[in-house]
Amino acid sequence: MHALCGENGAGKSTLMKILYGMQKPDEGTITVDGTEVAFSSPADAIARGIGMVHQHFMLADNLTVLENVALGSEKLYGIGGRARAKIREISDAYGLGVRPDALVEELGVADRQRVEILKVLYRGARTLILDEPTAVLVPQEVDALFDNLRELKSEGLTVLFISHKLGEVLSVADEITVIRRGTTVGTADPRSTTARQLAELMVGSELPTPGARESTVTDEPALAVSGLRLTATDSDGVVREVLDGIDFTIHEGEVLGIAGVEGNGQAELVEAVMGMRTPDSGTVVLGGRDISHVPTRTRRESGIGYIPEDRHRHGLLLEAPLWENRILGHVTETPNSRRGLIDARAARLDTERIVEEYDVRTPGIEVTAASLSGGNQQKLIVGREMSHHPKLLIAAHPTRGVDVGAQAQIWDQISEARREGLAVLLISADLDELIGLSDTLRVMYRGRLVADADPATITPEELGSAMTGASSGHLDHEAVGASAPEGGEEG
Amino acid sequence: MNKLTARIDKERLLLALAAPVLAVVAALVVTALVILATGKNPFEAFNDMLSYGSASDSQIYILNKATTYYLAGVAVAVGFRMNLFNIGVDGQYRIAAFFAAVVGGALHLPGPLQIIVVILVAMVVGAMWSGIAGILKTSRGVSEVISTIMLNSIATAVIAYLLQPDKLGQLDDAGTLVSTKSLPKSSWFFTFNAGPAGELWGFIVIAALVGVAYWFVLGRTRFGFDLRAVGRSESAAEASGVGVKKMVVTSMVISGAVAGLVGMPTLLNDSHAFSNDFPLGVGFTGIAIALLGRNNPVGIAIASLLWGYLERTTGHLELIGYDKEILGVIQGVIVLCVVIAYELVRRFGLRRQQQRVGAELAAQAAATATDEKLEVAR
């Protein structure tokens, strides 16, 4: 099992695309089992026994597992009983526990991932490439995945594993390759390397330490949400409660972290606070002003900064130059416009400043946002939102898909602004990030805030179990595992 | 750094010009092949087009045609800039011109005032007609492509119904043409007298003003920024605080108001009444022109001049024995080539930019590598 680590934009994905035949190399060779090969399409790679499990699953929700697996390779084992038998055989051989006749839409994230792995094995892959497979999993699921991967390894398969999470890489890999800015900067032996050394190899310099920090929480409420309830009609026409009974207050200088498996209402909560969705009931009060019924623009103007979960969909105009992206979301504020007119000169100047201050790596501000790497796009967004001195920052997965260097930088900026009285609503799937940054932790499960925890004592495992709905109430370090009564404050 | 941004800009400009030039050249080649296939000499044809097109009366004709086309192009481009495909410019301008002609024929106000009223009526009617599509889209999710096409047919039917001798129309003396009551002479728009070459329509001034307004509103105002943001990414625009639904209706209304102007050069400068031989299909020409002109105010002007030029010169080709369908071939091929060429150039430009960013960063990295080592040592 070989792991590949590197900063974002280091070239990991490009390398993977080349190995899987999605892109052609300019020079260099690829050797599989001692023979030199040249792939011109993924089909060639599959023929050579290389399979890829993408970060974003490529499954048709409305089909069964069997249909999804057979799709595109009907010639191998047909689409009926033979295929079903083969799926069972593979599933049993590697302990994947996949049921061929289940509908994919009924499966959880971890099961879907196993279907993806099975899909690859079904096509006869001997080498598996997994692109950030743990990004969407909770800790328990990650362990299960690693068990599956070890199983594969023991059957003689090769696994190539890409990850940002150094702890995982160290625990599971037999050998680690670190790449930076498109070249291999080193290999490491997981038995004799620490996460810190690995991280330093990745960024190429010593890491800043998060460090011990004193609490900056004040008594002044910045955002108070109460009784928030939101319903949505799903594709079957059934009205579901997406959010229910959401109550929380964030004080100035406080970071409130919301933990939860994705799809439990976090995105909807953010959109409700931003004014992009209209809740059925409940109030949102920002700095003493009721903003429950004002449009998104007014909310932004009154001091909400927003680092969206999906920066391509909600944070950037990919085909617009950087300086226009700097205007996005703050078009009515200085320096972007004056008396209804865009002040392109001032906006450009300020973009130069952001690029400088937030270390956005770009040759200029006239290039399109699409040509920057993910981490640099995120730094631009953070810089833009911070430039307007928000009272409340909504940070949804602020370091997702961001390399270690940029990650530390973004954390620093959030901590610093917090010291100056910023309130932060932090939503993240990265439990270390949540625990490390938050002053208060809440767990969201099926649209409700079911548990709270003290970030000073809680461990990722304990948080993880609450995220799956296994425990609720106040999570205490000792009491975890057992289900505490709803809202109970046992100590 | 400055040098680099300047270079990117220059290259971007080059790329922006490459697509339309490529398209026109490709269209000429294809047309030449088509003429060859009909057994005639293409160079003779091109030669005739060149000499006939440069005659002064041709130039006046081309400018007058282009005035109408320019307005149609801008009307379509407003929608394009926010990813709305307003196919209904055609119906919008016709129904607008019709009602403007009816109002103009019925009123007897002092000249300038009456002109303003006629123009306003046209803009309001056009805006209302396209606004229907906008409201349908935001309230019921009806694609504007479908609704505007249907509204075109409805406009045709409404006009046909009302333009009857016993309703709002009247039969001319020859008994062949039904038209609305003529506008009084005092409310005709001014023209520039170009002597024997003919008269240049004064409405070209309004068209130019519309172009300037289009450039200013879209490029320089907050509203324009919001509109373009919606066009580039609806979700990002919504998150940034743009009311997307309101923006859809607003831009449809603006597009329709400009569409209302399309019939005005003909009405106020030429026909002075809406008859059943009022120009048809200009809205569709506007789509081609907006595409060719890249939604750019200057580009649209060049495209509409080109369109006028082609119409004028190929019309003359017929007199010297070529087929008049050549016009359709050239225009069709240009539009096809434009679409293909833009996509090719866009992809090429994007890749090139990404490569350049990568190369630049690698160079920066090499330059800072020594600093980094120092930092580590510290």
Side-chain angles (χ1 to χ4, degrees):
Chain A
M1 202 177 311
H2 194 108
L4 190 72
C5 304
E7 281 192 276
N8 247 75
K12 297 187 303 281
S13 308
T14 313
L15 179 59
M16 289 303 115
K17 280 182 186 162
I18 291 173
L19 287 184
Y20 193 50
M22 288 156 84
Q23 237 170 38
K24 272 194 171 169
D26 290 329
E27 39 186 279
T29 56
I30 305 169
T31 311
V32 179
D33 295 331
T35 46
E36 203 169 288
V37 292
F39 301 140
S40 56
S41 76
D44 294 349
I46 292 169
R48 284 286 180 173
I50 295 179
M52 177 130 167
V53 176
H54 296 270
Q55 191 176 356
H56 301 284
F57 302 147
M58 312 228 169
L59 296 170
D61 281 357
N62 51 350
L63 298 183
T64 64
V65 170
L66 167 69
E67 286 162 340
N68 265 293
V69 172
L71 193 66
S73 51
E74 295 85 352
K75 281 185 189 152
L76 285 177
Y77 307 99
I79 55 169
R82 226 150 40 89
R84 183 175 290 114
K86 182 71 189 169
I87 291 173
R88 286 234 169 80
E89 183 195 320
I90 299 174
S91 173
D92 293 344
Y94 303 111
L96 292 173
V98 168
R99 291 169 296 139
D101 293 309
L103 267 182
V104 167
E105 63 184 357
E106 289 164 2
L107 300 182
V109 180
D111 284 325
R112 285 177 196 219
Q113 193 167 50
R114 282 193 276 273
V115 174
E116 282 282 4
I117 293 173
L118 195 139
K119 228 168 89 179
V120 170
L121 295 173
Y122 185 84
R123 285 159 175 71
R126 304 291 301 161
T127 304
L128 269 77
I129 303 173
L130 290 102
D131 191 3
E132 308 220 8
T134 61
V136 289
L137 303 178
V138 297
Q140 284 81 349
E141 292 172 335
V142 170
D143 290 341
L145 170 71
F146 286 169
D147 287 342
N148 290 145
L149 294 184
R150 287 193 190 97
E151 195 78 35
L152 294 175
K153 189 177 78 175
S154 66
E155 299 289 328
L157 272 69
T158 311
V159 177
L160 189 54
F161 178 90
I162 308 171
S163 181
H164 276 127
K165 299 183 183 169
L166 305 177
E168 290 169 0
V169 168
L170 287 172
S171 78
V172 76
D174 300 311
E175 199 181 359
I176 302 170
T177 299
V178 179
I179 62 174
R180 168 153 42 104
R181 290 184 183 131
T183 46
T184 307
V185 290
T187 50
D189 183 346
R191 282 174 295 269
S192 60
T193 313
T194 66
R196 220 181 147 68
Q197 286 168 329
L198 202 56
E200 283 171 15
L201 203 54
M202 273 166 70
V203 251
S205 62
E206 242 177 297
L207 277 182
T209 355
R213 56 199 176 87
E214 71 286 13
S215 171
T216 56
V217 182
T218 62
D219 292 334
E220 210 59 44
L223 177 80
V225 171
S226 63
L228 199 65
R229 183 169 176 278
L230 176 76
T231 55
T233 314
D234 64 14
S235 50
D236 297 330
V238 182
V239 177
R240 287 180 306 116
E241 279 181 349
V242 186
L243 295 174
D244 192 20
I246 303 286
D247 287 292
F248 63 82
T249 303
I250 312 178
H251 300 94
E252 287 177 11
E254 180 182 359
V255 178
L256 176 75
I258 304 241
V261 179
E262 263 169 81
N264 275 291
Q266 299 95 320
E268 287 79 3
L269 172 64
V270 168
E271 288 176 3
V273 175
M274 280 304 293
M276 291 153 70
R277 277 173 187 260
T278 316
D280 297 86
S281 60
T283 56
V284 179
V285 178
L286 179 75
R289 180 181 169 208
D290 188 347
I291 57 163
S292 315
H293 301 287
V294 305
T296 306
R297 173 150 292 164
T298 320
R299 296 187 194 210
R300 275 184 172 267
E301 283 164 358
S302 53
I304 301 185
Y306 178 35
I307 301 174
E309 171 179 350
D310 185 339
R311 55 180 164 263
H312 289 180
R313 266 176 62 77
H314 293 127
L316 293 170
L317 301 174
L318 287 173
E319 292 191 15
L322 297 191
W323 67 272
E324 288 199 353
N325 275 289
R326 189 259 168 275
I327 298 176
L328 186 72
H330 304 276
V331 67
T332 54
E333 295 161 59
T334 53
N336 297 333
S337 68
R338 273 187 313 201
R339 274 169 271 134
L341 298 186
I342 298 285
D343 190 344
R345 229 180 86 81
R348 280 199 171 93
L349 274 176
D350 201 57
T351 313
E352 298 274 15
R353 179 190 62 79
I354 291 175
V355 165
E356 185 76 22
E357 275 180 28
Y358 290 82
D359 188 31
V360 181
R361 308 246 169 104
T362 168
I365 59 167
E366 300 293 335
V367 299
T368 56
S371 50
L372 296 190
S373 74
N376 284 310
Q377 290 174 347
Q378 192 75 344
K379 285 192 266 186
L380 180 74
I381 293 177
V382 173
R384 170 180 81 196
E385 298 304 324
M386 290 303 193
S387 296
H388 293 276
H389 306 290
K391 293 186 196 120
L392 169 74
L393 177 71
I394 299 177
H397 308 279
T399 58
R400 166 172 292 176
V402 167
D403 54 81
V404 181
Q407 197 173 31
Q409 204 181 327
I410 291 169
W411 286 341
D412 278 354
Q413 274 140 9
I414 292 178
S415 307
E416 194 177 316
R418 159 181 161 278
R419 225 170 293 140
E420 286 159 18
L422 176 77
V424 181
L425 176 62
L426 174 69
I427 287 163
S428 180
D430 181 343
L431 300 183
D432 293 324
E433 170 175 282
L434 272 176
I435 293 172
L437 276 183
S438 307
D439 296 298
T440 319
L441 271 174
R442 304 290 287 272
V443 180
M444 198 161 194
Y445 181 67
R446 296 201 173 152
R448 291 168 167 276
L449 292 174
V450 292
D452 57 285
D454 181 357
T457 54
I458 198 91
T459 66
E461 287 69 30
E462 291 159 358
L463 210 51
S465 97
M467 283 161 63
T468 57
S471 51
S472 61
H474 182 75
L475 302 177
D476 234 357
H477 190 45
E478 292 85 356
V480 157
S483 204
E486 183 89 10
E489 289 284 337
E490 56 166 78
Chain B
M1 194 89 111
N2 268 339
K3 235 185 251 163
L4 186 92
T5 48
R7 216 169 60 211
I8 286 187
D9 267 356
K10 209 185 284 166
E11 194 170 289
R12 204 187 275 170
L13 191 73
L14 210 71
L15 283 175
L17 291 178
V21 171
L22 219 79
V24 171
V25 169
L28 282 180
V29 171
V30 173
T31 315
L33 291 176
V34 170
I35 298 179
L36 264 181
T38 59
K40 299 196 176 90
N41 182 349
F43 296 103
E44 221 167 84
F46 291 148
N47 201 18
D48 178 73
M49 284 170 75
L50 214 60
S51 60
Y52 185 68
S54 53
S56 61
D57 59 334
S58 290
Q59 286 176 348
I60 295 292
Y61 175 93
I62 291 166
L63 283 172
N64 286 346
K65 273 275 178 193
T67 303
T68 301
Y69 291 161
Y70 186 71
L71 291 166
V74 171
V76 174
V78 170
F80 274 163
R81 285 307 281 269
M82 67 171 274
N83 259 345
L84 283 177
F85 207 165
N86 184 3
I87 296 186
V89 170
D90 204 57
Q92 288 148 22
Y93 91 83
R94 279 185 289 125
I95 202 155
F98 174 74
F99 281 107
V102 169
V103 170
L107 289 177
H108 291 281
L109 299 170
L113 191 65
Q114 172 130 349
I115 290 176
I116 292 172
V117 170
V118 168
I119 292 177
L120 279 181
V121 167
M123 289 178 77
V124 168
V125 172
M128 279 165 54
W129 204 250
S130 64
I132 296 173
I135 288 168
L136 278 175
K137 184 178 173 78
T138 50
S139 64
R140 310 297 313 160
V142 182
S143 160
E144 77 282 0
V145 176
I146 309 288
S147 59
T148 51
I149 286 183
M150 289 164 128
L151 282 166
N152 282 346
S153 302
I154 298 172
T156 306
V158 168
I159 294 170
Y161 175 77
L162 292 175
L163 192 64
Q164 290 184 52
D166 54 337
K167 300 220 168 51
L168 295 171
Q170 55 185 27
L171 210 60
D172 72 342
D173 299 334
T176 52
L177 202 64
V178 187
S179 70
T180 59
K181 221 169 135 207
S182 274
L183 270 64
K185 210 153 192 164
S186 64
S187 60
W188 294 7
F189 211 76
F190 70 89
T191 55
F192 301 102
N193 195 341
E199 284 186 328
L200 179 64
W201 296 350
F203 216 82
I204 198 167
V205 177
I206 305 276
L209 288 177
V210 167
V212 172
Y214 171 81
W215 163 81
F216 181 78
V217 171
L218 262 79
R220 291 287 176 275
T221 63
R222 282 176 196 169
F223 170 79
F225 184 87
D226 286 349
L227 190 143
R228 284 182 293 131
V230 177
R232 278 171 165 152
S233 164
E234 211 173 282
S235 52
E238 195 185 5
S240 86
V242 181
V244 170
K245 285 189 171 178
K246 205 173 124 200
M247 197 49 100
V248 167
V249 176
T250 315
S251 61
M252 263 329 248
V253 163
I254 294 176
S255 177
V258 178
L261 290 174
V262 172
M264 293 301 100
T266 312
L267 181 69
L268 294 171
N269 272 129
D270 185 30
S271 68
H272 310 297
F274 190 100
S275 57
N276 46 14
D277 68 348
F278 205 78
L280 255 174
V282 178
F284 297 107
T285 310
I287 296 174
I289 285 171
L291 271 176
L292 184 59
R294 285 207 107 177
N295 302 332
N296 174 297
V298 178
I300 297 172
I302 295 170
S304 31
L305 286 171
L306 177 69
W307 234 244
Y309 178 84
L310 288 175
E311 271 181 24
R312 177 68 172 178
T313 52
T314 50
H316 187 253
L317 279 187
E318 205 187 344
L319 300 178
I320 57 167
Y322 288 89
D323 302 297
K324 69 168 190 294
E325 282 77 13
I326 290 296
L327 171 67
V329 172
I330 301 181
Q331 290 181 337
V333 174
I334 287 183
V335 172
L336 272 180
C337 292
V338 159
V339 175
I340 298 167
Y342 278 153
E343 189 53 29
L344 286 179
V345 168
R346 194 184 71 86
R347 286 189 195 174
F348 174 77
L350 208 68
R351 224 185 28 235
R352 186 132 175 77
Q353 200 174 61
Q354 275 169 348
Q355 273 173 2
R356 164 151 313 135
V357 171
E360 175 75 7
L361 291 184
Q364 270 181 22
T368 54
T370 37
D371 303 350
E372 252 172 44
K373 266 177 207 150
L374 283 176
E375 266 171 48
V376 174
R378 254 192 281 140

Short mmCIF file of all heavy atoms in Angstrom, two decimals, chain B residues 127-150:
data_model
loop_
_atom_site.label_atom_id
_atom_site.label_comp_id
_atom_site.label_asym_id
_atom_site.label_seq_id
_atom_site.Cartn_x
_atom_site.Cartn_y
_atom_site.Cartn_z
N ALA B 127 -41.17 45.52 -23.53
CA ALA B 127 -40.79 45.10 -22.19
C ALA B 127 -41.87 44.22 -21.58
O ALA B 127 -41.58 43.21 -20.94
CB ALA B 127 -40.54 46.32 -21.31
N MET B 128 -43.13 44.60 -21.79
CA MET B 128 -44.22 43.81 -21.21
C MET B 128 -44.26 42.43 -21.85
O MET B 128 -44.44 41.42 -21.17
CB MET B 128 -45.56 44.53 -21.41
CG MET B 128 -45.80 45.61 -20.38
SD MET B 128 -47.14 46.75 -20.81
CE MET B 128 -48.46 45.61 -21.12
N TRP B 129 -44.06 42.40 -23.16
CA TRP B 129 -44.14 41.13 -23.87
C TRP B 129 -43.05 40.17 -23.39
O TRP B 129 -43.29 38.99 -23.15
CB TRP B 129 -44.05 41.37 -25.38
CG TRP B 129 -44.67 40.28 -26.19
CD1 TRP B 129 -44.01 39.38 -26.99
CD2 TRP B 129 -46.06 39.96 -26.29
NE1 TRP B 129 -44.91 38.54 -27.57
CE2 TRP B 129 -46.18 38.86 -27.16
CE3 TRP B 129 -47.21 40.50 -25.72
CZ2 TRP B 129 -47.40 38.27 -27.49
CZ3 TRP B 129 -48.43 39.92 -26.04
CH2 TRP B 129 -48.52 38.82 -26.91
N SER B 130 -41.84 40.68 -23.22
CA SER B 130 -40.76 39.80 -22.76
C SER B 130 -40.88 39.55 -21.26
O SER B 130 -40.47 38.51 -20.76
CB SER B 130 -39.40 40.40 -23.09
OG SER B 130 -39.23 41.61 -22.37
N GLY B 131 -41.46 40.54 -20.55
CA GLY B 131 -41.66 40.36 -19.11
C GLY B 131 -42.53 39.15 -18.82
O GLY B 131 -42.33 38.47 -17.81
N ILE B 132 -43.47 38.86 -19.72
CA ILE B 132 -44.31 37.67 -19.53
C ILE B 132 -43.42 36.43 -19.42
O ILE B 132 -43.57 35.61 -18.52
CB ILE B 132 -45.30 37.51 -20.72
CG1 ILE B 132 -46.26 38.70 -20.76
CG2 ILE B 132 -46.07 36.20 -20.58
CD1 ILE B 132 -47.15 38.70 -22.00
N ALA B 133 -42.45 36.35 -20.34
CA ALA B 133 -41.54 35.19 -20.32
C ALA B 133 -40.73 35.18 -19.02
O ALA B 133 -40.49 34.13 -18.43
CB ALA B 133 -40.62 35.23 -21.53
N GLY B 134 -40.29 36.37 -18.59
CA GLY B 134 -39.51 36.45 -17.37
C GLY B 134 -40.30 35.98 -16.16
O GLY B 134 -39.80 35.22 -15.33
N ILE B 135 -41.55 36.42 -16.09
CA ILE B 135 -42.37 36.04 -14.92
C ILE B 135 -42.70 34.55 -14.97
O ILE B 135 -42.65 33.86 -13.96
CB ILE B 135 -43.65 36.90 -14.89
CG1 ILE B 135 -43.26 38.32 -14.48
CG2 ILE B 135 -44.68 36.33 -13.92
CD1 ILE B 135 -44.33 39.35 -14.66
N LEU B 136 -42.97 34.05 -16.17
CA LEU B 136 -43.23 32.61 -16.31
C LEU B 136 -42.02 31.80 -15.84
O LEU B 136 -42.15 30.77 -15.19
CB LEU B 136 -43.54 32.26 -17.77
CG LEU B 136 -44.96 32.51 -18.23
CD1 LEU B 136 -45.08 32.24 -19.72
CD2 LEU B 136 -45.93 31.62 -17.45
N LYS B 137 -40.84 32.30 -16.15
CA LYS B 137 -39.63 31.57 -15.78
C LYS B 137 -39.44 31.55 -14.27
O LYS B 137 -39.13 30.53 -13.68
CB LYS B 137 -38.41 32.18 -16.46
CG LYS B 137 -37.12 31.40 -16.19
CD LYS B 137 -35.95 32.02 -16.94
CE LYS B 137 -34.65 31.37 -16.55
NZ LYS B 137 -34.45 30.07 -17.20
N THR B 138 -39.64 32.72 -13.64
CA THR B 138 -39.36 32.77 -12.21
C THR B 138 -40.48 32.17 -11.38
O THR B 138 -40.23 31.61 -10.33
CB THR B 138 -39.12 34.22 -11.76
OG1 THR B 138 -40.19 35.02 -12.24
CG2 THR B 138 -37.82 34.75 -12.27
N SER B 139 -41.73 32.28 -11.87
CA SER B 139 -42.81 31.77 -11.01
C SER B 139 -43.13 30.31 -11.30
O SER B 139 -43.49 29.57 -10.40
CB SER B 139 -44.06 32.64 -11.18
OG SER B 139 -44.54 32.52 -12.51
N ARG B 140 -43.02 29.91 -12.56
CA ARG B 140 -43.40 28.54 -12.90
C ARG B 140 -42.25 27.71 -13.45
O ARG B 140 -42.45 26.55 -13.81
CB ARG B 140 -44.55 28.54 -13.94
CG ARG B 140 -45.73 29.40 -13.62
CD ARG B 140 -46.47 28.99 -12.38
NE ARG B 140 -46.73 27.56 -12.34
CZ ARG B 140 -47.02 26.89 -11.23
NH1 ARG B 140 -47.07 27.52 -10.09
NH2 ARG B 140 -47.25 25.60 -11.26
N GLY B 141 -41.10 28.30 -13.57
CA GLY B 141 -39.95 27.54 -14.07
C GLY B 141 -40.01 27.21 -15.54
O GLY B 141 -39.39 26.26 -16.00
N VAL B 142 -40.77 27.99 -16.32
CA VAL B 142 -40.85 27.73 -17.76
C VAL B 142 -39.60 28.27 -18.44
O VAL B 142 -39.23 29.43 -18.22
CB VAL B 142 -42.09 28.44 -18.37
CG1 VAL B 142 -42.19 28.13 -19.85
CG2 VAL B 142 -43.35 28.02 -17.64
N SER B 143 -38.96 27.45 -19.22
CA SER B 143 -37.76 27.90 -19.92
C SER B 143 -38.10 29.07 -20.83
O SER B 143 -39.09 29.04 -21.56
CB SER B 143 -37.17 26.76 -20.75
OG SER B 143 -36.32 27.30 -21.74
N GLU B 144 -37.25 30.11 -20.78
CA GLU B 144 -37.53 31.30 -21.58
C GLU B 144 -37.44 30.98 -23.07
O GLU B 144 -38.07 31.66 -23.89
CB GLU B 144 -36.58 32.44 -21.20
CG GLU B 144 -35.16 32.35 -21.73
CD GLU B 144 -34.30 31.37 -20.96
OE1 GLU B 144 -34.82 30.76 -20.00
OE2 GLU B 144 -33.11 31.21 -21.31
N VAL B 145 -36.71 29.94 -23.43
CA VAL B 145 -36.60 29.57 -24.85
C VAL B 145 -37.98 29.18 -25.37
O VAL B 145 -38.44 29.66 -26.41
CB VAL B 145 -35.60 28.40 -25.02
CG1 VAL B 145 -35.56 27.97 -26.48
CG2 VAL B 145 -34.22 28.81 -24.57
N ILE B 146 -38.64 28.33 -24.61
CA ILE B 146 -39.97 27.86 -25.02
C ILE B 146 -40.97 29.01 -25.01
O ILE B 146 -41.67 29.26 -26.00
CB ILE B 146 -40.48 26.78 -24.05
CG1 ILE B 146 -39.44 25.69 -23.85
CG2 ILE B 146 -41.81 26.22 -24.52
CD1 ILE B 146 -39.24 24.79 -25.01
N SER B 147 -41.01 29.73 -23.89
CA SER B 147 -42.07 30.73 -23.76
C SER B 147 -41.90 31.85 -24.78
O SER B 147 -42.88 32.33 -25.33
CB SER B 147 -42.12 31.28 -22.34
OG SER B 147 -40.89 31.85 -21.99
N THR B 148 -40.65 32.26 -25.05
CA THR B 148 -40.50 33.36 -26.00
C THR B 148 -40.84 32.92 -27.43
O THR B 148 -41.41 33.69 -28.20
CB THR B 148 -39.08 33.95 -25.97
OG1 THR B 148 -38.12 32.91 -26.10
CG2 THR B 148 -38.84 34.73 -24.69
N ILE B 149 -40.52 31.67 -27.74
CA ILE B 149 -40.91 31.18 -29.08
C ILE B 149 -42.42 31.21 -29.23
O ILE B 149 -42.97 31.66 -30.23
CB ILE B 149 -40.41 29.73 -29.31
CG1 ILE B 149 -38.90 29.74 -29.54
CG2 ILE B 149 -41.10 29.11 -30.52
CD1 ILE B 149 -38.33 28.38 -29.86
N MET B 150 -43.11 30.75 -28.17
CA MET B 150 -44.56 30.74 -28.24
C MET B 150 -45.11 32.16 -28.29
O MET B 150 -46.08 32.44 -29.02
CB MET B 150 -45.14 30.00 -27.04
CG MET B 150 -44.89 28.51 -27.13
SD MET B 150 -45.15 27.77 -25.55
CE MET B 150 -46.26 26.48 -25.96
#
